[in-house]
Amino acid sequence: MNKFLPVACFLILFSSFYGQNEQDFFKVHQGKLPVKVYYGQAAKAMNLLGIDGSKGIIYAELQGAGRVQLELRGLEKQNITRFEFEWPRDAVKNLRFLSDEQYDPRLLPLLRPVMYKLLLFLEIPQQYFPIHDACLTYVQSLVAMEQYGEAFYVLSRLKLSKLDEFGYREFSEASLELAGKMIAADAKSAKLSRALLQRVTIRDNTGDHAAYLKLADSLRSQGLYNEAISEYARLAPIVMKSADSPYGEILRIWPIYCYVKLYEKYSAAAARDKRYQAYASKYFNTALQSLKKLDEKPPERLSGEYSLYKLVRALVRVQYARRFEAAGSEIQAAEYYRQSVLEVTEGIVSARVGLDWLPESLMMAGAAYEKLELNEAARNVYKQVSMFFKSTKWAAQSQKKLSELPATDGGGDEEPPSP
């Protein structure tokens, strides 16, 4: 009787990631939900049994009349004004704790017998069955308490687009937050998280654009470049419809960055196994073609995206330098390293400290200076990274680089620009 959207794929992913010990709480706590149904002002006892949103049917059991089927989208025509659930006193108290952000996982077993019955009926509009706020509190609490398995299990079952229509966009926002936290906690959860993301409707507003871009960025920062490219590709056409969106330029650049990083990954693998060479070539050619198109209309020079654009151009030149270096062509390699320094430093000049790609730009400049045997310039760059990006992985990398540099350098007249 209890029908959902097809969720088999989610449950397969869920069990593969979280293991077989996670309980099916909808099954564990299934059963009749006792309510009062109001026909006008007259109330009758009823048990809600289930709902089939695709057919628009609420399955119920009316006292004295046996089983009945109510039309989900015709409640007013059936003279039904509302359903009323009598909350157990303890459930009200425990929900109040969660609503006040007094989170305690020990409250969850006490709430589940009620919540998993109510969660089945969120497709009934709020004005007829006011349970949505309580269910939202429960879901948001799961995410806040890092109960990722259960939160995913619930959210993957809900019709998020329908809840959006009801004015409960917060369920979709909880899904975005959950996906981001899962990816940050464990990169292996990316496939699971992205399956949930596909259920979230991206609206044409900057808030949704920013939230979804943040998720795509989290995939990229975890080194999940193919996955990041896919999410950038989903977001880009929506953003491009908004002439005033601040995210259009960044969405032109990050995929190219990811293609270059994929080339780095597969070219390293190809050095050990030639079968990977075709993949490396494919990613590099895609990066070059995409960059050529970007070069036709680059970001404004004074924009933050300009420095990322220059970082990508520098990354490409470093790849050429490495190719020549591997082939023993030191003069050509040095020229491309020199070009990479020019590209990345031009971007650094116009960058501000808060840009998340700036430390990588600085580290790249430092590495290129080292290749050109300008060790004092490299030293100055690494010191800047240590100063401006304390307590980050970049600071640790810069300290390691500083410890490996020679103590003195005779060719250190060149100074790098400050961020």
Side-chain angles (χ1 to χ4, degrees), residues 25-26 28-29 33 85 87-100 102-119 133-142 145 150 154:
F25 292 120
F26 283 105
V28 171
H29 301 296
L33 180 66
F85 175 65
W87 284 88
R89 186 175 300 176
D90 286 346
V92 173
K93 180 182 68 175
N94 292 330
L95 272 173
R96 189 177 294 120
F97 284 135
L98 297 183
S99 181
D100 293 340
Q102 298 181 48
Y103 298 128
D104 187 339
R106 291 175 296 181
L107 297 175
L108 300 180
L110 304 177
L111 284 166
R112 285 180 186 131
V114 172
M115 299 311 303
Y116 277 91
K117 290 182 178 70
L118 292 173
L119 284 162
D133 290 326
C135 291
L136 178 61
T137 294
Y138 186 77
V139 169
Q140 289 175 329
S141 299
L142 290 175
M145 288 188 284
E150 185 176 351
V154 173

Side-chain angles (χ1 to χ4, degrees), residues 202 209 212 229-242 247-248 251-252 255:
I202 309 173
H209 299 172
Y212 208 87
I229 289 168
S230 295
E231 300 309 328
Y232 288 135
R234 183 186 179 197
L235 180 59
I238 300 170
V239 168
M240 297 310 175
K241 293 177 183 177
S242 302
Y247 306 111
L251 284 166
R252 292 202 298 151

